[in-house]
Amino acid sequence: MIVVTRLNGTRFAVNPDILERIHESPDTHLVTLDGAAYVVRESLVEVVELIAQYRAGVLRRAQDLPRTTGYPLSLVPPASTEPENPTTPRNGR
């Protein structure tokens, strides 16, 4: 999340992954994927820098995660080395 400031001085956090566009005219407008728009005090350049810092932080934290061996978590099991018997049902019954 990045923290930005409304024109009235209140601060709020927004997920940069849901931002569709940012534009200045002259105020900075953040427009989300669902069409919500926020006017903020930060300039376009400042918001882009906040997003870059956020993403760099995510990558830094990911590098700090412990290394895994074997198979990482996955919704799809790794390919079996044994051929599957087509006459055996998948659920083992």
Side-chain angles (χ1 to χ4, degrees):
M1 302 284 272
I2 61 169
V3 177
V4 290
T5 312
R6 289 186 174 94
L7 295 181
N8 68 6
T10 60
R11 295 172 54 83
F12 70 102
V14 64
N15 180 351
D17 294 331
I18 65 164
L19 293 177
E20 180 179 7
R21 66 183 179 274
I22 306 164
H23 60 92
E24 277 183 328
S25 63
D27 295 325
T28 306
H29 297 253
L30 310 180
V31 182
T32 63
L33 294 170
D34 66 359
Y38 304 97
V39 181
V40 297
R41 286 185 178 178
E42 290 78 9
S43 70
L44 183 141
V45 171
E46 290 170 315
V47 173
V48 170
E49 183 60 29
L50 287 170
I51 293 170
Q53 289 172 5
Y54 165 78
R55 296 200 192 296
V58 168
L59 291 174
R60 217 174 8 261
R61 287 184 189 108
Q63 288 178 340
D64 292 341
L65 292 173
R67 302 281 182 218
T68 60
T69 58
Y71 300 108
L73 293 177
S74 175
L75 295 176
V76 179
S80 174
T81 57
E82 297 179 21
E84 200 173 297
N85 184 346
T87 60
T88 305
R90 285 188 170 279
N91 61 8
R93 294 184 198 166

